[in-house]
Amino acid sequence: MRLERRRVIAGAAGLAIPGFAPVARAEMDGRAMYGLIGRMTATTGQRDVLTAILLEGLGRMPGCLSYVVAHDPADAETIWVTEVWTDEAAHRASLQVPEVRDAMRKAMPLIATFGDAQVTTPVGGVGLEAVRSPA
């Protein structure tokens, strides 16, 4: 198990640090995780409907470690989606899951534009403790 310096110092001193949550460094059997951050703009007045579609059937995405849909507070039509997957293959495979294909079919008419998607290599964080490799 990898120890974070802040955690060791806080633990050694017996301190509780307000606002500090333990952060895990995650890796899947030596493979890097696969992440995506994307932005889409809903057609006028359809952001809430599009959001509901994006949040349907999330338990049916094997290999998905995190899937967060967020509204942009500065733009009433913009949605951000942040995803973490065990690997890129799991993400690609999810696009063939019937529930995901159905959600994409429903969502497409409600999407005015897609922003550039950013591929990332997640290295850990709150909520990814369960995927941490054993020491």
Side-chain angles (χ1 to χ4, degrees):
M1 179 175 153
R2 198 175 239 178
L3 295 176
E4 297 292 326
R5 185 174 185 273
R6 291 180 297 173
R7 185 181 233 171
V8 171
I9 292 170
L15 301 174
I17 302 173
F20 173 74
V23 176
R25 297 184 73 66
E27 193 174 87
M28 299 297 299
D29 300 323
R31 298 172 293 155
M33 290 181 290
Y34 180 76
L36 287 170
I37 300 171
R39 178 176 52 90
M40 65 184 75
T41 304
T43 57
T44 303
Q46 296 300 306
R47 182 170 76 175
D48 289 343
V49 175
L50 179 55
T51 298
I53 291 167
L54 295 173
L55 292 172
E56 288 176 4
L58 295 181
R60 298 177 193 90
M61 297 193 304
C64 183
L65 304 174
S66 177
Y67 183 88
V68 177
V69 177
H71 289 171
D72 189 321
D75 183 338
E77 306 303 340
T78 297
I79 298 171
W80 291 91
V81 179
T82 306
E83 307 172 47
V84 178
W85 296 85
T86 54
D87 54 34
E88 187 176 2
H91 174 260
R92 279 194 313 271
S94 76
L95 301 176
Q96 301 307 314
V97 171
E99 292 87 353
V100 172
R101 292 178 66 81
D102 187 50
M104 290 188 310
R105 182 187 54 73
K106 290 180 194 174
M108 289 308 288
L110 303 176
I111 300 170
T113 62
F114 283 100
D116 291 332
Q118 291 298 130
V119 173
T120 65
T121 303
V123 295
V126 174
L128 296 178
E129 292 87 354
V131 300
R132 195 173 15 175
S133 293

